[in-house]
C-alpha cells in the first residue's frame, strides 16, 4: 500500500512530504503517516532537524471534509500535532499554496514557518459551521495576540505571505526556492532553544475586546452559530493554561462537528464544486480575448466592469454617440469605486480608461469580438432585433449571449443563422460584484458555446450554474413561486411587514416586499401582464400588486409601494393596507393570523416544490445546483444549505405530507407532480457521493 506521507533524510536533515492529491487533506492515512514519521525521527539520533513540506499544488488544505460525517478515526490530528511540537529537534513548515484549517494548525505545531511569497494561511472552519479543532484557537492567539486572532478565526479570512510575516505567523518568506529557504532557516536555528507555542502563557487580553467584537460578529453572522461560538471560546479560554484551553476547544468542536449548520455548510461547499461538472465539460471553449457588450444600462455596464476587472478588453455598444459616452462614464464610475475599495490598481484603471474600454454606437466595432453579451431592455422583439444585427457583424465563430432574466433564449437564437452559438448568460445586479451567473443552454446550443460561457464565468471569478430554458431559469423561477406564496399570505391575513420580518428572522437579508419596493414594482407588474395569456385559469391570482401599481405607487423610487418612504424610515403604507383589506373582502377571505414560522414554512415549501419541478424538467442538473443559485443569488442563508438541502434533511415523506396539506387547502395552487421521484433521485445522488 502506498502511503501519502514519506520521509527521507540526508546530512542530518529529514524531509517529511505529504502527498495526498488533490489538496493534501489530512485524512486518517495522513495522520497515521505523520505519527509514524515522528516515531522514526524521535528514535533516529542522526536526524537533527526536520522540514515538513507538501507535494502538488498546495500545503495541507485542512482536515478531510469528507470524513466529517463519520465517527472520528484515530490518531486525532491534535495529538499528531502535539507529537510534532514536543519533538526535541526543530521542525520547519515549508508552506506553498494554501495552509488552511487543520493544515495551518499543523504548521502552528511546527516550531518555525517559511511561506512562499504566493502562499496563504487561514482558519476557514467557521465557514464550514465548526471551529478550529486541532489547537488553532489556542496556538494562534499565543503567536499573534487576541485581536488579530479574533479577526482571522471568526471571519475565516485568508492571510497572504506578506501579512503573515507582519503578524509574526511566518518567520520568513521565500521568493523562489521554498525548500532552500526552509533549509536555511533550519540551519540557523538548529542549535537554538526550541520555541513551542504551547509553552507560552495565554495572550493577555482586556475583557472589553470580546464584548465589543461580539455585537459586531453576531450581527454579521445573521443566525450562523460558528463565528459566535469561536469568539466565545476565545473569550472563555483567554486566561486558561494550554491544556485546559485545548480541552475546551475539543468540546466545542465536537458539539458543532455534526450540527445541522455544519452539515448544511458542507453540503454547499461540495455543491459549489460540483456545478462545473456539466455534460459539455470536455468541449473546447473558444478563447475569448475581446468581449462585446450591447446595452450600457445598469446590467451592461456592470458586465463590462466585471470583464475589465478580470483583465479583458471590452467594446460597449449603445444606440448613439451620446449614450455610448454616458455608458462609458458609468462603467468607469464603477471601476473608480473599485479603485477606492482597493480592488483595482490605479495604473490598471488608467490603462482601462486609455484604451481597454471602447464605447461606440456602431455594431461594426464588434467584428473582432469572440463573445458578445446583449444586455438591452427586457423585451423579446427588442432582443431579437439586436441579435439579427449581431449575427450580421460578428465573426462566424463568435458566441452570442443574451443576459435575459426571463425570456426564451431559444426564440432569440432562432432569428440568427447560428442558433448553435447562442446561449444565455444571466448575470445578477450589480454584475461586477454578484458572484452568481446562470449559463442558460437552449436546445440547439453546441457544447463549445456552453463551454465558452463557463470559461468566461471562471475568468470573471463567477459561480456559474448550468440552467435549461424556461420562464426565469432556476433562480427567478423559484423567486416567482415564492413571491406568489407571499402574495397568498398577505391576502390570507398576514401583513407585508410580518412576511418581511419572517424572511429576516429566517436569515435572509431582506423581505420579499421590501425587495420588490426596492427593485421597483413595475418590473413584476410588466412581467405578470406578459405572462397573463399563458396563466392557468384555475390558478389563484392575487391582484394586490397590480392595484398598488395602478395608483402609481411603484415602490421606493415613487416614495410609496408596500411601504411609505416619505418620512425617511419606511412604514407600512396605508393605501397598500387598505387595498389588501378590500381584496380580502371582495374574495370573501376570512383573514387569519400567521406566525413567523408558518410564514416561512409556506415560503420554503414553495421553493422546494418549484425546485422539484425544475429538476423534473431537467432545467437544473442537480438539486445542489439549485441550492447554489439560491445561496449565491437570492440571499438564502448559506448556513441553512439551500431549500433542497433543507428538504433532504426534513425527509421526503415529511416534505410531501406538508405540501399535500397545503395543496388540499384551496388557497394553494400547484402540481406536486414529479416531486417524490425527483427528491428521491436527488437523495440517491447524495447517497452515491457517500
Ligand atoms: N477535504 C476534502 N476534499 C477537499 C478539501 C478538504 N478539506 N478541500 C478541497 N477538497 C476537494 C474538492 O472537493 C475538490 O474535489 C478538490 O479538492 C479541489 O478543490 C481540524 C476540522 C484548498 C483553496 O475549508 O478552500 O481543517 O471536486 O476545486 O479551487 O480544525 O478547495 O475535484 O472531487 O476547491 O484549487 C478546513 C477547503 C477544513 C479548505 C483549493 N479547510 N478547500 O481550491 O480547488 S476543516 C478548508 C478550499 C479543518 C481542523 C478543521 C479549496 C482550496 P473534486 P477545489 P481550488
Amino acid at each position: 500500500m502506498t502511503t501519502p506521507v514519506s520521509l527521507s533524510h540526508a546530512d542530518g536533515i529529514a524531509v517529511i512530504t505529504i502527498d495526498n492529491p488533490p489538496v493534501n487533506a489530512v485524512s486518517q492515512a495522513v495522520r497515521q503517516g505523520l505519527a509514524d514519521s515522528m516515531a522514526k525521527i524521535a528514535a533516529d539520533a542522526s536526524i537533527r532537524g526536520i522540514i515538513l513540506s507538501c507535494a502538488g499544488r498546495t500545503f495541507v488544505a485542512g482536515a478531510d471534509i469528507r470524513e466529517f460525517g463519520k465517527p472520528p478515526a484515530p490518531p486525532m490530528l491534535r495529538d499528531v500535532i502535539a507529537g510534532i511540537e514536543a519533538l526535541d529537534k526543530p521542525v520547519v513548515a515549508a508552506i506553498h499554496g494554501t495552509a488552511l484549517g487543520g493544515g495551518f494548525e499543523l504548521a502552528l505545531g511546527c516550531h518555525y514557518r517559511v511561506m512562499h511569497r504566493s502562499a496563504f494561511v487561514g482558519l476557514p472552519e467557521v465557514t464550514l459551521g465548526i471551529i478550529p479543532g486541532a489547537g488553532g484557537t489556542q496556538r494562534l492567539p499565543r503567536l499573534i495576540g487576541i485581536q488579530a486572532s479574533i479577526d482571522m478565526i471568526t471571519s475565516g479570512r485568508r492571510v497572504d505571505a506578506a501579512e503573515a510575516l507582519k503578524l509574526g505567523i511566518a518567520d520568513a518568506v521565500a521568493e523562489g526556492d521554498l525548500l532552500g529557504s526552509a533549509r536555511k532557516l533550519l540551519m540557523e536555528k538548529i542549535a537554538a532553544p526550541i520555541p513551542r507555542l504551547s509553552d507560552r502563557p495565554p495572550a493577555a487580553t482586556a475583557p472589553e475586546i470580546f464584548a465589543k467584537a461580539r455585537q459586531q460578529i453576531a450581527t454579521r453572522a445573521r443566525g450562523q452559530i460558528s463565528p459566535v461560538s469561536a469568539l466565545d471560546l476565545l473569550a472563555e479560554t483567554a486566561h486558561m493554561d494550554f491544556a485546559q484551553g485545548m480541552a475546551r476547544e475539543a468540546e466545542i468542536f465536537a458539539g458543532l462537528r455534526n450540527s445541522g449548520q455544519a452539515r448544511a455548510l458542507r453540503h454547499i461547499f461540495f455543491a459549489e464544486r460540483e456545478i462545473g461538472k456539466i455534460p459539455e465539460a470536455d468541449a473546447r471553449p473558444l478563447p475569448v480575448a475581446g468581449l462585446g457588450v450591447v446595452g450600457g444600462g445598469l446590467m451592461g455596464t456592470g458586465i463590462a466592469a466585471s470583464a475589465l476587472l478580470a483583465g479583458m478588453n471590452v467594446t460597449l455598444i449603445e444606440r448613439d454617440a451620446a449614450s455610448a459616452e454616458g455608458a462609458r462614464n458609468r462603467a468607469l464610475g464603477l471601476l473608480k469605486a473599485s479603485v477606492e475599495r482597493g480592488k483595482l490598481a490605479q495604473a490598471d484603471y488608467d490603462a482601462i480608461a486609455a484604451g481597454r474600454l471602447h464605447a461606440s454606437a456602431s455594431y461594426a466595432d464588434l467584428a473582432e469580438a469572440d463573445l458578445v453579451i446583449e444586455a438591452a431592455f427586457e423585451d423579446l422583439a427588442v432582443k431579437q432585433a439586436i441579435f439579427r444585427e449581431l449575427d450580421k457583424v460578428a465573426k462566424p465563430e463568435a458566441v452570442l449571449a443574451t443576459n435575459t432574466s426571463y425570456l426564451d433564449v431559444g426564440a432569440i437564437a432562432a432569428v440568427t443563422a447560428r442558433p448553435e452559438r447562442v446561449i444565455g448568460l444571466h448575470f445578477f445586479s450589480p454584475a461586477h460584484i454578484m458572484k452568481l451567473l446562470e449559463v442558460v443552454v437552449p436546445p440547439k446550443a453546441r457544447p463549445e458555446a456552453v463551454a465558452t460561457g463557463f470559461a468566461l464565468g471562471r475568468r470573471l471569478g463567477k459561480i456559474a450554474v448550468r440552467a435549461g430554458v424556461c420562464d426565469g431559469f432556476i433562480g427567478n423561477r423559484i423567486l416567482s413561486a415564492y413571491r406568489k406564496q407571499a402574495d397568498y399570505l398577505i391576502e390570507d391575513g398576514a401583513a407585508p411587514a410580518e412576511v418581511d420580518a419572517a424572511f429576516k428572522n429566517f436569515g435572509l437579508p431582506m423581505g420579499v416586499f421590501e425587495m420588490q419596493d426596492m427593485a421597483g414594482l413595475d418590473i413584476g407588474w410588466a412581467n405578470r401582464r406578459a405572462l397573463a395569456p399563458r396563466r392557468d385559469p384555475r390558478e389563484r391570482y392575487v391582484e394586490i400588486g397590480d392595484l398598488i401599481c395602478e395608483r402609481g405607487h411603484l415602490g421606493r423610487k415613487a416614495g410609496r409601494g408596500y411601504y411609505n418612504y416619505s418620512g425617511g424610515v419606511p412604514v407600512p403604507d396605508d393605501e397598500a393596507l387598505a387595498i389588501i383589506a378590500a381584496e380580502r373582502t371582495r374574495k370573501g377571505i376570512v383573514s387569519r393570523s400567521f406566525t413567523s414560522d408558518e410564514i416561512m414554512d409556506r415560503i420554503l415549501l414553495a421553493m422546494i416544490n418549484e425546485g422539484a419541478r425544475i429538476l423534473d424538467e431537467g432545467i437544473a442538473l442537480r438539486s445542489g445546483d439549485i441550492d447554489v443559485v439560491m445561496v449565491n443569488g437570492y440571499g438564502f442563508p448559506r448556513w441553512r444549505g439551500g431549500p433542497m438541502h433543507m428538504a433532504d434533511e426534513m425527509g421526503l415523506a415529511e416534505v410531501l405530507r406538508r405540501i399535500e396539506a397545503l395543496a388540499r387547502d384551496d388557497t394553494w395552487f400547484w402540481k406536486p407532480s414529479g416531486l417524490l421521484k425527483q427528491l428521491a433521485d436527488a437523495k440517491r445522488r447524495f447517497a452515491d457521493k457517500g
Side-chain angles (χ1 to χ4, degrees):
M1 204 182 87
T2 59
T3 150
V5 180
S6 59
L7 175 65
S8 66
H9 67 101
D11 306 330
I13 302 299
V15 177
I16 299 175
T17 307
I18 302 173
D19 187 4
N20 185 29
V23 297
N24 292 316
V26 249
S27 59
Q28 193 278 335
V30 169
R31 295 194 296 274
Q32 190 62 56
L34 285 171
D36 294 347
S37 301
M38 287 311 130
K40 280 185 208 148
I41 287 168
D44 188 338
S46 73
I47 296 175
R48 299 172 56 224
I50 300 102
I51 295 171
L52 176 62
S53 74
C54 288
R57 67 196 213 216
T58 179
F59 194 80
V60 171
D64 190 334
I65 302 173
R66 287 176 210 274
E67 285 185 356
F68 283 15
K70 303 170 192 160
M76 304 299 284
L77 183 58
R78 68 177 77 92
D79 299 331
V80 173
I81 293 173
I84 295 174
E85 194 182 42
L87 275 182
D88 54 5
K89 311 171 186 196
V91 185
V92 176
I95 301 169
H96 74 293
T98 45
L100 299 178
F104 182 34
E105 291 173 300
L106 184 62
L108 289 171
C110 296
H111 308 119
Y112 304 99
R113 286 153 295 277
V114 177
M115 287 174 72
H116 188 266
R117 162 164 68 83
S118 63
F120 290 84
V121 296
L123 292 170
E125 282 87 345
V126 295
T127 66
L128 291 166
I130 53 176
I131 57 153
T137 67
Q138 302 306 305
R139 287 195 181 86
L140 191 62
R142 284 172 166 80
L143 182 62
I144 65 172
I146 272 293
Q147 191 72 64
S149 299
I150 291 175
D151 165 46
M152 280 185 72
I153 294 173
T154 65
S155 72
R157 89 178 168 91
R158 292 176 196 180
V159 164
D160 64 19
E163 190 182 352
L165 188 67
K166 220 180 284 163
L167 285 171
I169 291 171
D171 298 286
V173 172
E175 291 297 322
D177 173 19
L178 177 64
L179 279 182
S181 300
R183 189 174 292 271
K184 182 165 166 278
L185 183 76
L186 187 59
M187 295 322 291
E188 283 165 21
K189 303 289 184 184
I190 204 111
I194 291 179
R196 296 185 180 89
L197 291 174
S198 62
D199 287 346
R200 295 195 189 176
T205 317
E208 46 296 354
I209 289 189
F210 293 108
K212 216 171 110 214
R214 199 171 199 287
Q215 185 56 39
Q216 218 179 14
I217 289 165
T219 308
R220 205 175 51 202
R222 224 188 259 132
Q224 187 176 330
I225 294 165
S226 52
V228 183
S229 299
L231 181 77
D232 288 347
L233 174 67
L234 288 169
E236 189 194 334
T237 58
H239 299 285
M240 285 184 186
D241 69 31
F242 186 78
Q244 275 178 318
M246 286 297 285
R248 258 325 259 160
E249 181 193 84
E251 271 169 19
I252 303 294
F253 176 80
L256 290 173
R257 190 174 195 262
N258 217 15
S259 61
Q261 292 199 0
R263 284 198 304 276
L265 288 161
R266 278 203 299 276
H267 159 73
I268 275 292
F269 175 85
F270 286 117
E272 283 179 351
R273 279 157 184 80
E274 265 204 281
I275 48 174
K277 295 178 184 151
I278 53 167
E280 298 83 3
D282 293 333
R284 270 172 66 130
L286 197 74
V288 177
L291 182 74
V293 177
V294 179
L298 193 64
M299 261 344 267
T301 50
I303 294 168
S306 175
L308 290 162
L309 282 168
M312 300 174 76
N313 291 341
V314 175
T315 302
L316 188 53
I317 303 292
E318 257 295 350
R319 70 174 80 76
D320 53 49
S323 312
E325 186 54 26
R328 185 182 142 82
N329 289 334
R330 273 194 298 282
L332 289 176
L334 297 177
L335 295 170
K336 232 177 248 155
S338 298
V339 173
E340 276 154 27
R341 286 201 314 273
K343 302 273 179 202
L344 181 70
Q346 183 64 43
D348 290 329
Y349 175 87
D350 294 341
I352 290 169
R356 284 183 40 216
L357 170 62
H358 172 64
S360 149
S362 165
Y363 276 74
D365 288 355
L366 294 174
E368 292 307 314
D370 306 294
L371 173 62
V372 180
I373 303 174
E374 162 278 316
F377 186 65
E378 192 74 349
D379 177 282
L380 186 62
V382 170
K383 292 195 187 268
Q384 286 175 326
I386 291 172
F387 271 72
R388 281 192 195 94
E389 284 305 307
L390 285 177
D391 198 26
K392 279 186 227 154
V393 298
K395 52 190 183 189
E397 68 276 22
V399 172
L400 306 181
T402 170
N403 176 52
T404 180
S405 47
Y406 276 96
L407 299 171
D408 180 350
V409 182
I412 296 172
V415 303
T416 71
R418 62 176 100 193
E420 74 287 355
R421 290 180 178 280
V422 176
I423 56 171
L425 288 175
H426 179 213
F427 288 82
F428 289 71
S429 188
H432 64 304
I433 292 176
M434 291 287 284
K435 285 263 177 263
L436 185 65
L437 173 67
E438 285 178 315
V439 179
V440 186
V441 181
K444 287 193 179 154
R446 281 176 48 170
E448 293 74 24
V450 180
T452 304
F454 271 84
L456 178 78
R458 259 193 307 281
R459 175 114 189 238
L460 302 186
K462 303 290 182 202
I463 296 176
V465 177
R466 189 186 190 283
V469 173
C470 66
D471 278 333
F473 319 127
I474 298 174
N476 278 344
R477 178 163 159 182
I478 291 180
L479 170 63
S480 294
Y482 70 80
R483 204 159 49 195
K484 250 184 225 171
Q485 272 321 308
D487 283 348
Y488 297 172
L489 279 161
I490 57 172
E491 206 171 59
D492 289 344
E498 286 173 334
V499 175
D500 285 349
F503 270 66
K504 284 179 282 195
N505 284 343
F506 185 79
L508 283 140
M510 211 187 244
V512 64
F513 293 106
E514 292 171 279
M515 185 192 71
Q516 293 179 78
D517 264 4
M518 196 180 77
L521 298 181
D522 42 337
I523 298 178
W525 192 26
N527 193 40
R528 286 192 297 275
R529 272 182 307 199
L531 294 176
R534 283 188 284 148
R535 190 178 304 129
D536 188 322
R538 292 169 305 163
E539 181 179 334
R540 175 176 174 184
Y541 186 74
V542 176
E543 287 177 39
I544 295 165
D546 300 347
L547 295 168
I548 293 175
C549 286
E550 280 168 21
R551 302 234 185 344
H553 298 176
L554 301 180
R556 196 180 269 266
K557 63 184 170 189
R560 293 183 80 169
Y562 288 98
Y563 295 87
N564 188 321
Y565 300 87
S566 57
V569 184
V571 292
D573 187 85
D574 292 344
E575 205 156 324
L577 293 177
I579 291 171
I580 294 168
E583 282 297 288
R584 287 176 191 153
T585 308
R586 184 177 71 82
K587 290 191 173 176
I589 293 169
V590 182
S591 174
R592 52 160 290 204
S593 62
F594 291 88
T595 64
S596 192
D597 285 348
E598 281 174 314
I599 290 171
M600 278 322 284
D601 204 43
R602 282 198 179 203
I603 296 292
L604 184 64
L605 289 166
M607 291 180 182
I608 293 169
N609 189 67
E610 200 61 33
R613 290 164 73 173
I614 284 171
L615 275 175
D616 196 24
E617 294 166 26
I619 299 297
L621 292 175
R622 290 160 289 252
S623 72
D625 288 21
I626 296 174
D627 289 335
V628 171
V629 167
M630 296 312 293
V631 165
N632 290 291
Y634 296 82
F636 197 96
R638 195 176 172 84
W639 54 266
R640 290 190 188 269
M644 305 315 277
H645 171 76
M646 288 186 75
D648 223 45
E649 291 261 309
M650 252 183 252
L652 283 188
E654 176 63 12
V655 172
L656 270 182
R657 192 190 63 70
R658 283 155 80 166
I659 285 180
E660 272 161 9
L662 286 168
R664 230 174 289 128
D665 173 358
D666 64 355
T667 60
W668 186 269
F669 171 90
W670 64 23
K671 297 172 258 171
S673 70
L675 179 77
L676 185 62
K677 179 183 161 301
Q678 283 306 327
L679 287 179
D681 283 357
K683 217 180 163 72
R684 183 178 46 72
R685 277 192 291 267
F686 286 129
D688 287 350
K689 258 195 326 196

